[in-house]
Amino acid sequence: MNNFICIGKVLKPQALKGEVKISANTRDINSYLSYEHLYLGREHQKYAIEKCRIQDDFVVAKLENVDDANTAEKLRNEDVYIDDSQLAVLPEDEFYIQDLIGLDVFSINGETYLGQVAAVDNFSSADIVTIEKDGKEVLFPFLASVVSGVDVQHKKMFVDVPKFKEVCVDED
């Protein structure tokens, strides 16, 4: 079974030959240059990439069987996905957002359960983790000074509670 990862959104047709302009939501926009195919929309329709280039901060792609502006227009606002098998292997201390969602968050010693990761939002200064417990949300930055460890295999994240309390924001 495929696990799809959203990596962008089709903004509009680009020129008359069926190219589409894509807003990328990846750290490394150049990763698009290595993909052989993309999946678009809720149905994850597979498209082979015939050509791809980076233009300013956007991706311009020519997709197979999208040969004119009218066909490209039909793809406007569609989310762009890849299969998780296309993801690059990350260094040991880096994680994909989807790997963090659902982790249980504990104090460093593992004695205090703080909640479960519900979301991770990417901001320029730091990723912000949202955890939920008993219907309440708490947000904190994903920083090395706060997060002391992540064990994706055992679905756990550990935080330095004093540092966590200094920086967390209670949404209620």
Side-chain angles (χ1 to χ4, degrees), residues 5-168:
I5 311 302
C6 185
I7 62 165
K9 183 182 248 358
V10 175
L11 297 176
K12 64 179 187 169
Q14 180 78 12
L16 300 174
K17 296 185 179 180
E19 293 180 324
V20 291
K21 184 175 185 179
I22 299 171
S23 172
N25 62 359
T26 60
R27 261 192 201 153
D28 181 12
I29 194 169
N30 291 312
S31 62
Y32 274 83
L33 301 175
S34 67
Y35 301 139
E36 294 179 16
H37 52 271
L38 298 172
Y39 300 87
L40 272 57
R42 288 186 179 160
E43 302 298 318
H44 302 114
Q45 178 67 42
K46 186 175 181 178
Y47 290 90
I49 298 174
E50 292 181 358
K51 291 190 288 185
C52 186
R53 69 182 186 278
I54 307 302
Q55 184 176 321
D56 299 321
D57 290 329
F58 300 95
V59 175
V60 177
K62 169 61 177 86
L63 305 175
E64 184 178 47
N65 297 323
V66 180
D67 297 319
D68 57 62
N70 290 334
T71 306
E73 178 63 38
K74 294 175 185 174
L75 302 177
R76 183 186 291 263
N77 295 321
E78 292 286 0
D79 286 328
V80 177
Y81 299 88
I82 58 170
D83 183 290
D84 65 358
S85 68
Q86 295 172 273
L87 292 172
V89 176
L90 295 176
E92 189 175 313
D93 61 341
E94 291 186 28
F95 308 93
Y96 286 109
I97 289 174
Q98 71 269 10
D99 293 336
L100 300 176
I101 305 295
L103 295 184
D104 290 320
V105 181
F106 293 92
S107 60
I108 292 175
N109 60 13
E111 292 179 5
T112 306
Y113 174 71
L114 300 169
Q116 187 175 66
V117 177
V120 180
D121 295 299
N122 184 270
F123 295 102
S124 59
S125 59
D127 291 334
I128 302 298
V129 178
T130 301
I131 60 173
E132 292 180 351
K133 181 180 176 189
D134 301 328
K136 295 183 179 182
E137 290 186 343
V138 175
L139 287 70
F140 66 94
F142 189 86
L143 300 172
S145 61
V146 178
V147 178
S148 60
V150 174
D151 183 345
V152 173
Q153 183 177 1
H154 293 101
K155 300 220 149 273
K156 294 181 180 180
M157 179 185 293
F158 299 94
V159 297
D160 181 324
V161 173
K163 300 271 186 181
F164 172 81
K165 288 183 178 180
E166 284 178 20
V167 296
C168 74

